[in-house]
Every structure is written in structure tokens, then in C-alpha cells.
Amino acid sequence: MKNYFQVQSDIFKYDLSPYDLAVYANLAMRRNRKTNTAWPAVATIADECNMGDSTVRKSIQTLKAKGLITVRANYQPTH
């Protein structure tokens, strides 16, 4: 079967908002299964989930605080 993704089975025990769930699902959809990483831009998640950038950022912070994701900056400074 193609075009599917998985989320952890106990996701609903974390008392997440619908926005948090949408962001989590978006990250799960984009996750590289070999490296277990995803690097979408906040604007990309916002566009695909039909929400504002600030809502995505808030959801990312919630997911991070609940231990569901880890966040690392992924940018290269331009000099």
C-alpha cells in the first residue's frame, strides 16, 4: 500500500488540540523512515494544514513540551 503514514497509537492520551494533531500528522507524513526526521518549513505546514504560522509554531512548542517531537534548527548561515 502506498501513500500512507503512521502515528503512534497512544497519541490521543496527550490531550492535544485539533491543531496540534494536524501538525503532528503533517510531520508524521513527512518523516523520513530511515532517519526518523522531517524538515518542513513552518509556512509549508501552515499552508498544508490550513492554519497560520503562529498556530503552527504554538503547536510545535506543545508537541515538543509533551515529548512527542524534538526540534533542531536546520539552516546554513549565509556570509
Side-chain angles (χ1 to χ4, degrees):
M1 180 187 293
K2 286 188 169 189
N3 297 325
Y4 73 94
F5 61 93
Q6 296 178 328
V7 297
Q8 62 187 71
S9 59
D10 63 349
I11 193 65
F12 295 105
K13 79 174 190 176
Y14 290 94
D15 192 33
L16 300 173
S17 75
Y19 299 110
D20 301 337
L21 286 169
V23 171
Y24 184 81
N26 187 278
L27 291 169
M29 176 185 70
R30 296 177 160 283
R31 177 180 65 94
N32 179 311
R33 292 181 187 185
K34 290 181 182 176
T35 63
N36 205 32
T37 59
W39 297 102
V42 168
T44 301
I45 298 170
D47 184 55
E48 291 179 353
C49 293
N50 198 29
M51 60 181 74
D53 289 4
S54 62
T55 303
V56 171
R57 284 188 186 92
K58 182 179 175 187
S59 289
I60 288 171
Q61 290 307 313
T62 298
L63 296 170
K64 183 179 168 187
K66 293 186 183 245
L68 294 167
I69 64 171
T70 56
V71 177
R72 276 190 307 154
N74 186 34
Y75 64 92
Q76 299 292 325
T78 55
H79 293 201

